[in-house]
Amino acid sequence: NLELYEALYGASSFASFYGIGVDLDGDGSARAKLYTRVKQTQLIPELLRMCSAFPSATLEPLREFSSALPQEALTDEVELAVALRDDGTPTIKATYFFLGDKMNRENESQVLSLIEQYHRGAHLVENCLQVLRSSKGAFQTREHPLHGLGVELPGSQPPKLNVYLQPRVAVLAL
């Protein structure tokens, strides 16, 4: 769809192409995702421009979501993924990534509270973090393995969240 391509990568775009992904769901449906990266300072203008191709998109939930994140621990880029489906309206997923050296327990708690606010499933993420922290030997983890958090809009209520964890693998010297 040329209109969608222009909305993503047109001349006025600050987004840069990052990749393509395919989601294969258990129900036989599939969707392709076009990934871009954009500076946080350009995120809202970029989304306003892109939303012309997504009439049902609203930015208010994204503004609320992003303002609840620990700003001092975020990278300066946001990953935007546009999901194209045969059977539905395209969606936009915004993923925020965390700087490992800026994450601390307070920031992590803030992110877990946000997950709980949206899904009541923060305890599952917290359990994963505890398992990663308790790893010993060759598979040691970062002190704060929470790597990123994404939200997909428009879509289900509550919105779909994607949680990214990043363990650190220690190199064994033999």
Side-chain angles (χ1 to χ4, degrees), residues 3-80:
E3 180 183 339
L4 179 61
Y5 182 86
E6 277 300 312
L8 288 174
Y9 305 113
S12 62
S13 175
F14 289 98
S16 60
F17 177 77
Y18 190 70
I20 297 174
V22 177
D23 291 345
L24 304 173
D25 293 332
D27 64 2
S29 64
R31 61 187 174 173
K33 286 186 179 171
L34 303 173
Y35 289 91
T36 65
R37 293 248 169 138
V38 64
K39 297 280 186 197
Q40 275 206 50
T41 55
Q42 295 298 325
L43 177 64
I44 297 301
E46 200 57 22
L47 285 172
L48 286 170
R49 191 186 58 72
M50 288 171 60
C51 281
S52 64
F54 303 94
S56 61
T58 174
L59 298 184
E60 199 50 42
L62 182 61
R63 286 181 180 159
E64 291 171 13
F65 180 84
S66 63
S67 68
L69 292 168
Q71 301 301 306
E72 69 279 2
L74 295 175
T75 63
D76 66 343
E77 287 188 321
V78 177
E79 181 182 84
L80 295 176

Side-chain angles (χ1 to χ4, degrees), residues 11-12 27 29 32 44 47 61-62 66 69 75 77 85 88 93 95 102 123-124 133-134 136 141 146 148 156 160:
S12 62
D27 64 2
S29 64
I44 297 301
L47 285 172
L62 182 61
S66 63
L69 292 168
T75 63
E77 287 188 321
R85 310 164 191 260
K93 180 180 72 163
T95 302
K102 301 286 185 186
H123 65 284
L124 299 172
R133 279 195 193 97
S134 67
K136 300 290 182 219
T141 185
L146 192 55
S156 61
K160 177 185 171 192

